[in-house]
Amino acid sequence: MNSIKQQISAISQTLPERVRLVAVSKFHPAETIMEAYRAGQRLFGESRAQELSAKAASLPSDISWHFIGHLQTNKVKHVVSVAAMIESIDSLRLLEAVDHEAQRQGRTVNVLLQVHVAMEETKFGFTPDEIIEYFTGRKFEQLKATHICGLMAMASNTDDPARINDDFARVAELFRRIITIAPDLRGFTELSMGMSDDYPIAISHGATLVRIGSSIFGPRQY
Ligand SMILES: *Cc1c(COP(=O)(O)O)cnc(C)c1O
């Protein structure tokens, strides 16, 4: 396999200017992240609270960390204190816990709402209807220290590009609909979708953040 630097550079060349690369470093050690850092990468994605805390404490402070995994409410404290963005807000309960903790820490936290459109059954993520209800009811006005910057989604885990295309199209449509429902919503601009195997399709549907792990770092050692 090519070096991490070569992979980052090859992927970056295919990204339109509006798209930022989140290098998903979960399960990879700090030395591996430093290799990407030396290649100029500053935005990384982690999916476990403890792993994020440990890495953030030992790696350069100009790294931006995006949290992308399921977050339990009892770990919100650690993630709010280090993450530049929590992409995986998957319930109202979690959103409230994050807002409460951000207030307590005296900071504002940037988040994305995770939408579930994939065909797999999962208990994580809002349905498109729940998202529409949230914005129609203007519930975001209750947030005191949380800024909703957009949506995050994963496509179905399938080799069928038509299905993946449909999933991303639905998320993109939902994103545009929210903007018409709440045109006064500020800074609702991020659409995080696309991973190693499907990011070109996500970009064709307007992704602004792509979360790429294995294509950069190789397979994960669980
Ligand atoms: C692990 C993970 C990724 C990266 O997946 P790859 O297939 O390795 O690129 C992206 N998004 C989320 C939410 C993840 O958990």
Side-chain angles (χ1 to χ4, degrees), residues 24 26 47 68 152 154 195-196 211-215 220:
V24 177
K26 63 186 184 194
S47 62
I68 62 169
M152 185 272 250
M154 272 178 276
M195 321 203 311
S196 291
R211 308 177 310 270
I212 301 182
S214 38
S215 288
R220 288 177 280 274

Side-chain angles (χ1 to χ4, degrees), residues 24-141:
V24 177
S25 49
K26 63 186 184 194
F27 297 99
H28 290 288
E31 309 88 81
T32 306
I33 297 177
M34 277 312 292
E35 210 177 318
Y37 181 88
R38 284 190 293 269
Q41 182 68 26
R42 292 293 180 274
L43 178 53
F44 292 88
E46 287 287 336
S47 62
R48 296 190 303 181
Q50 264 144 332
E51 192 175 338
L52 170 61
S53 295
K55 286 174 174 173
S58 69
L59 287 160
S61 60
D62 63 343
I63 289 180
S64 277
W65 299 100
H66 281 201
F67 191 81
I68 62 169
H70 174 61
L71 178 55
Q72 289 165 296
T73 46
N74 62 351
K75 304 215 170 106
V76 160
K77 200 190 334 182
H78 306 292
V79 173
V80 164
S81 65
V82 293
M85 183 177 278
I86 302 174
E87 295 198 10
S88 44
I89 298 291
D90 56 13
S91 71
L92 285 179
R93 185 163 165 261
L94 177 60
L95 181 58
E96 279 158 21
V98 164
D99 192 46
H100 187 259
E101 180 59 27
Q103 277 182 78
R104 207 188 61 80
Q105 293 185 19
R107 55 191 296 159
T108 303
V109 62
N110 292 323
V111 304
L112 304 180
L113 301 185
Q114 182 174 348
V115 195
H116 177 64
V117 291
M119 59 193 178
E120 292 85 24
E121 289 286 329
T122 163
K123 49 190 194 304
F124 302 134
F126 296 92
T127 65
D129 284 347
E130 286 168 337
I131 298 263
I132 287 170
E133 195 187 312
Y134 181 82
F135 287 100
T136 307
R138 300 189 64 83
K139 298 202 185 116
F140 56 87
E141 289 178 348

